Amino acid sequence: MMDVDDFKGDLASVDADLLQLNELLSPLAVKSNPYIAQELFQHWLSLPKTNRLVKALINDAKAGVPLNVPGNVTSLNASTTNSIPSMFPAGSAPPLSPRSSSGSPRITKHRAGPSSLGSPLRLISEPVKELIPQFYFQNGRPPPKELRERLLFRINQFFYGHMDGLQIKEFKVVTKEICKLPSFFSSVLFRKIDANCTSFVTRDAFVDFWVNGNMLTMDTATQIFTIMKQPDRKYLTQDDFKPILRELLMTHPGLEFLQNAPEFQERYAETVIYRIFYYINRAGNGHLTLRELKRGNLVTAMLHADEEEDINKVLRYFSYEHFYVIYCKFWELDTDHDFLIDKENLIRYGNHALTYRIVDRIFSQVPRKFKCVDLDGNGIIMRNEMQFFYEEQLHRMECMAQEPVLFEDILCQIVDMIRPEDNSYFTLRDMKGNRLSASVFNVLFNLNKFMAFETRDPFMIRQERENPTWTEWDLFAHREYIRLSMEEDVEDASNGSAEIEKTYIKASDQTSWRDHPLVKNLAQSTRRKS
C-alpha cells in the first residue's frame, strides 16, 4: 500500500461522514489514510448503477427538474447511501453502527438545510434586504404631515364662506400669506390654477396645486420658476415676465404716478426685463434657467420690491430712477428716435468718452466688458490686450494736451488695484471679486471717467463711503437722476446747495430728450414725489 506521505491528491477535503461507512471502514480510518477514500470513490464510479444514476441526475439538472430529496441533510445522507450500489456481496455487508441524527458522535457539524430551490447541492442563505428610504421625488418632496395639516387649517380659514371659490382680487392675500410670494404674482398664480378660466379658484383646486403638487416644500426660486414658465419649456423667456411687471405697475404705490402714462409703463417694464436678463442670463441666449435664477439675486429683489413702498430704494432691476436715467440717455443718443442705436450714436456717448476700438468690439456682438477686452476669447486678459485698448487712450490724451501716462505705469497701478492671483494676467474671477474693476475698464476705454478717477473728487469719495453697498452704476444713476430731474427748472438748480451742484455732470447734447412730452411731464411728477 502506498504511504500517505507519497500521496499528492486533494482528498483532504473529502467529508468522510457522507460516505456512511461501517465500523471496519470508519470515517476516522479514511481520514487517516486518504488512499482508501480514493480507491473507494473510483470503485463506486466504475459500477454500472452509479453511471446510470449520475446520468439521470445530470439530465434532471439540465431539464430544471428539482431533485426528489427529503428536506434535511440526514435524509440526504441516508438516500445517498441507499442509492449507492453495495461493494459487498449480497447478505455479507456488516451492519452499520447506530448513528444519531446529528451525525458522528465524535464529530459534530452544523449544516444549513437545503435551499428553497429544492436542490441539496446548492445551499443558499437569503441576503437580508436593507430598506433604503426614498430620496428622489419626481414632483418634489411631499410636505411633512404636521406642516401639511397646519397649512390646510390656514387655507380653510381663507376660503371659509367662499363656496364658489376666490376671485382674483380676493386671491392676493392667499398669494402673500399662504404662498409667501410677492403680491404682484397673484394674477399669474391665479391663472395658473384656474386653467379653465372660470374666474374662480376653489379651495380644492388650490390645495391640489399648492399642497398636493408639493409646491409647498420647494424653495422660493423654484416656486417662482414653476409658476412663471410655460408647461412645455424648461426655461423662462422675456414674455414670461410681462404679466408680472404689468401687475407691479398697477399695484405698487411707488409707480402710481405712471398710471396716466401707458407708454412709459411699457418702457419701464421693457427696461426692467432687459436688466434682469443682462445680469441673470449669463449665457445670453434669452433662456433663463432655474440654475441661473437661483444663482442670481432676482428673487431677493422681487421680495424687496413687494415690501418697499419707495421703488427707488430697490436698486436692483426695479428702481424707477435707474430706468429714467437709462431712457433719457438712450433718447439723447437715438437722434432719429427709431429706438435703435448705431455706432455713430454710441460714439457720441458722454461727449465722445468711449474709444473707437471699444465701440467696434461692442458692435461685434460682445456685450460684456471683460469679453470686450479679451480679444482672443481665452478667458484671461493679457498685457498686450490691455495695451491694445490703452494705445487709443494715450493718443487722445496727447491730442487734448494732457500729460500722458505710460502704459507700464498704468499696468502697475491696475495690478495694485485688482491684486490678481497671477500678476501676468487677469481672470474674470479676479475682476468680479474687486470693487475697483469698473475703474480698470474706464482706464482702458472711457477717457472722461479715467480723468475723473485720476483727479478723484473728494465729494465723490465721501459719497462712496456713505453708501458702501452701492455700485459705480448706482452712484452714477443717482447723480444723473438729480441732474436730469432738476434741469427742467434752472432756477431751482441754481438755488440748490453747492453740494448738489457738485453732482451735476455736463451732457453733450441734451436738446432732444427734453422734447419728449412724457419726459417733461414725468420729470415734474418725479420731482414733486422726491
Side-chain angles (χ1 to χ4, degrees), residues 45-65:
L45 287 177
S46 64
L47 297 175
K49 190 174 181 180
T50 303
N51 189 268
R52 291 193 298 272
L53 175 64
V54 171
K55 287 183 178 180
L57 291 174
I58 292 175
N59 292 335
D60 289 345
K62 288 181 178 180
V65 179

Side-chain angles (χ1 to χ4, degrees), residues 25 58 68 76 162 236 317 356 369 378 410 431 434 478 501 504:
L25 295 174
I58 292 175
N68 187 16
L76 168 64
H162 300 274
L236 298 176
Y317 315 112
Y356 282 90
K369 293 180 180 179
N378 63 350
I410 286 294
M431 295 293 187
N434 196 299
H478 180 66
E501 289 177 359
Y504 292 170

Side-chain angles (χ1 to χ4, degrees), residues 10 74 77 101 141 189 269 272 306 313 380 438 470 518:
D10 191 24
T74 305
N77 295 339
S101 60
R141 182 180 294 275
L189 179 59
V272 170
D306 192 47
K313 291 183 179 179
I380 59 176
W470 283 21
L518 287 175

Side-chain angles (χ1 to χ4, degrees), residues 282-342:
R282 306 303 293 182
N285 57 3
H287 295 169
L288 187 62
T289 63
L290 177 59
R291 177 182 176 85
E292 290 174 327
L293 183 63
K294 287 184 175 182
R295 294 182 64 180
N297 56 0
L298 177 59
V299 174
T300 303
M302 285 179 168
L303 294 171
H304 186 196
D306 192 47
E307 298 295 332
E308 179 59 61
E309 291 189 2
D310 186 356
I311 196 67
N312 292 321
K313 291 183 179 179
V314 188
L315 299 180
R316 302 286 80 83
Y317 315 112
F318 297 98
S319 169
Y320 178 80
E321 289 184 358
H322 289 190
F323 155 72
Y324 190 84
V325 171
I326 293 172
Y327 186 86
C328 291
K329 284 292 182 183
F330 191 96
W331 187 266
E332 289 176 4
L333 297 176
D334 182 23
T335 53
D336 56 1
H337 306 314
D338 61 350
F339 291 99
L340 294 174
I341 291 180
D342 57 21

Side-chain angles (χ1 to χ4, degrees), residues 197-363:
C197 301
T198 62
S199 300
F200 288 92
V201 168
T202 64
R203 181 260 185 201
D204 293 341
F206 177 76
V207 169
D208 187 58
F209 178 83
W210 192 258
V211 181
N212 299 337
N214 300 330
M215 291 285 291
L216 174 62
T217 55
M218 297 179 183
D219 58 86
T220 307
T222 306
Q223 291 173 346
I224 289 176
F225 184 83
T226 304
I227 293 170
M228 292 180 62
K229 79 177 187 68
Q230 301 301 316
D232 57 337
R233 293 175 181 166
K234 295 183 179 180
Y235 54 85
L236 298 176
T237 65
Q238 294 186 10
D239 289 340
D240 295 328
F241 284 85
K242 290 181 179 179
I244 304 296
L245 269 298
R246 194 179 301 120
E247 185 168 0
L248 177 69
L249 284 161
M250 292 174 57
T251 59
H252 199 284
L255 297 170
E256 249 181 298
F257 64 96
L258 286 177
Q259 294 292 334
N260 297 325
E263 181 182 348
F264 257 65
Q265 285 185 334
E266 182 182 348
R267 296 304 176 197
Y268 171 82
E270 186 179 23
T271 304
V272 170
I273 293 173
Y274 283 153
R275 292 186 69 189
I276 289 172
F277 273 78
Y278 179 81
Y279 287 104
I280 305 297
N281 181 216
R282 306 303 293 182
N285 57 3
H287 295 169
L288 187 62
T289 63
L290 177 59
R291 177 182 176 85
E292 290 174 327
L293 183 63
K294 287 184 175 182
R295 294 182 64 180
N297 56 0
L298 177 59
V299 174
T300 303
M302 285 179 168
L303 294 171
H304 186 196
D306 192 47
E307 298 295 332
E308 179 59 61
E309 291 189 2
D310 186 356
I311 196 67
N312 292 321
K313 291 183 179 179
V314 188
L315 299 180
R316 302 286 80 83
Y317 315 112
F318 297 98
S319 169
Y320 178 80
E321 289 184 358
H322 289 190
F323 155 72
Y324 190 84
V325 171
I326 293 172
Y327 186 86
C328 291
K329 284 292 182 183
F330 191 96
W331 187 266
E332 289 176 4
L333 297 176
D334 182 23
T335 53
D336 56 1
H337 306 314
D338 61 350
F339 291 99
L340 294 174
I341 291 180
D342 57 21
K343 283 187 180 181
E344 294 303 320
N345 296 147
L346 188 57
I347 281 293
R348 294 190 301 104
Y349 172 76
N351 195 17
H352 296 78
L354 300 177
T355 64
Y356 282 90
R357 290 182 178 180
I358 194 62
V359 171
D360 289 338
R361 285 290 289 169
I362 292 173
F363 276 86

Side-chain angles (χ1 to χ4, degrees), residues 38-99:
Q38 183 188 30
E39 290 294 324
L40 289 173
F41 183 67
Q42 290 178 351
H43 178 74
W44 177 74
L45 287 177
S46 64
L47 297 175
K49 190 174 181 180
T50 303
N51 189 268
R52 291 193 298 272
L53 175 64
V54 171
K55 287 183 178 180
L57 291 174
I58 292 175
N59 292 335
D60 289 345
K62 288 181 178 180
V65 179
L67 300 180
N68 187 16
V69 180
N72 57 64
V73 175
T74 305
S75 302
L76 168 64
N77 295 339
S79 62
T80 303
T81 304
N82 294 336
S83 63
I84 298 178
S86 176
M87 65 184 70
F88 300 101
S92 62
L96 296 175
S97 62
R99 184 179 293 272

